[in-house]
Amino acid sequence: AIRKPEARVRAASSVENFHEITLPPAVTHVTLVADNDPGAQAQAALEKAVLRLSQSGPNGRHVTAWRKEYGGKELNDALMLADQAEGVA
């Protein structure tokens, strides 16, 4: 939200909770930002969320899962590394 304020952002505490998100009908595109959680359980939870969200809404939704290119386990780690790499911080 800080790096792209025009984007609408909603957060979930863990990948296991992504499938519980309820979105307004007007939302037609969703990008899930996934941490680099190891293991099959985290991957299965992410796939479940993508499937559920893509099938929800009046006409379904376009849902993608995005993984960060910078290191660190969580998105905040990656944002700090990206800022350092780009000379922002």
Side-chain angles (χ1 to χ4, degrees), residues 21 23 27-32 49 53-54 56 61-65:
I21 295 172
L23 299 170
V27 174
T28 59
H29 288 73
V30 177
T31 301
L32 299 175
L53 289 171
S54 66
S56 66
R61 293 187 168 91
H62 176 75
V63 181
T64 57

Side-chain angles (χ1 to χ4, degrees), residues 12-64:
S13 61
S14 69
V15 70
E16 288 82 12
N17 292 331
F18 279 4
H19 74 280
E20 296 291 336
I21 295 172
T22 301
L23 299 170
V27 174
T28 59
H29 288 73
V30 177
T31 301
L32 299 175
V33 179
D35 290 336
N36 286 333
D37 293 328
Q41 183 177 358
Q43 183 60 38
L46 182 60
E47 290 171 7
K48 178 180 179 181
V50 169
L51 180 63
R52 183 197 167 277
L53 289 171
S54 66
Q55 294 174 345
S56 66
N59 297 312
R61 293 187 168 91
H62 176 75
V63 181
T64 57

